[in-house]
Amino acid sequence: MGSEGEVVVAARPGWRERDRCGVCRRRCPGFDLGDGRRRWRALDLGTTLAFVEADAPRVTCRRHGVVVCAVPWARHTSRFTRAFEDQAAWLAVNTSKTAVAELMRVAWRTVGGICARVAAEAQREVDLLAGLRRIGIDEISHRSGQRYLTVVVDHDSGRLVWAAAGRDRKTVERFLDELGQERCKQIELVSCDMASWIAGPIAERLPDAVRCVDPFHVVMLATDALDEVRREVWNEARQAGQDQLARRLKGARYALWKNPENLTGRQRSKLAEVQHTNRRLYRAYLLKEQLRQIYRLEPGPAITLLDAWIAWARRCRLPSFVKLAKTISAQHAAIAAAIQHGLSNARVEAINTQIRLITRRAFGFHSADALIALAMLTLADLCPSLPGRVT
Ligand SMILES: [Zn+2]
């Protein structure tokens, strides 16, 4: 027993585990005895805080220089035992933020550091980039939209396979570097939005891959164009002193946004009202809906409808849709490819929604690395099992 309410266990690595580099675990010549004893927080013994204590000798590694020796019960540079960290990571994936912090008696920020170490180790053991054929590359905002991550999803397994801070060409190129030349050749399909920072490096480094534009990005652009028309019409009504009309248009916002099959009775009558009072806005609504409809048809009719849509939007006299028609015809090949390959919107959206939820939970981690680690543990199946349970 140590001081009040603590158990301290003195430990020493077995002889097979001694004199190993903390980074690579290779056996190395000794350097010195280090500076004193080190302590690691272990899983509580009942309600009592527990610690492991040991000497921290150093070795000279040919690759890593003078480093503190590895110990079998903890990860390098950690102040916690391996079992403690595995349990904290498991809880971070499976329970709430407060539950982990309260149960483990550590700050949420500390949990972030633990996730980063656990995920880094798991990623050294599992090669998530092996056998990729159909991938999706996307950006996710975090920190209230001030920072971005680039994420790569495997369409076949539904797993997140890569994530890094930043949304630029360099980040995509880093992913392609890690993938390596041989595996780049195996990629058959890449889905993404219309941004050139993704399309550029994909065209250069994956010349054989088909680029597809994610359906929901296309529909999102149509929704934005519709909203622009709604704002214009609303401003005009206000300037003309038609307050009642302006108010009604404002109230119709959700009816215009929602998918028609989900409309309530009240929203449906709002929409009917728009049809009577404002033909421009209603035309914009129909343009949005028809574009969405394309993704519900078989490939043949879908592409016919896509072409008809472009022709209609070009001459619809609504500037935001005329502009969208230009964007869409410029991306025609990639949009048609998504339809032909039956790229599922549901899966891409599902994983994006999950990543967004994780970014919200990870608030308070103070580092993108910890956020990425939590996302990888959760969405790449890297979460360790609870200590002592074999799964
Ligand atoms: Zn080493």
Side-chain angles (χ1 to χ4, degrees), residues 21-26 28 61-64 67:
C21 165
V23 182
C24 62
R25 294 193 170 252
R26 247 186 284 261
C28 304
C61 172
R62 244 187 296 163
R63 277 174 60 200
H64 302 103
V67 274

Side-chain angles (χ1 to χ4, degrees), residues 189 210-213 303 331-343:
L189 179 156
V210 177
R211 190 171 66 88
C212 297
V213 173
I303 288 162
Q331 299 283 333
H332 191 278
I335 292 172
I339 294 167
Q340 265 146 1
H341 287 86
L343 198 66

Side-chain angles (χ1 to χ4, degrees), residues 47 55 115 123 149 173 181 185 189 195 217 225 230 276 287 308 310 331 335 359 373 380 387:
T47 56
D55 287 331
C115 287
Q123 280 180 90
L149 300 182
E173 281 168 352
Q181 232 173 12
K185 286 187 203 151
L189 179 156
H217 283 124
R230 190 193 56 84
H276 283 293
L287 278 158
I310 293 171
Q331 299 283 333
I335 292 172
T359 61

Side-chain angles (χ1 to χ4, degrees), residues 41 43 106 121 281 365:
R41 169 92 189 273
L43 287 169
V106 289
E121 187 186 71
L281 184 54
F365 271 172

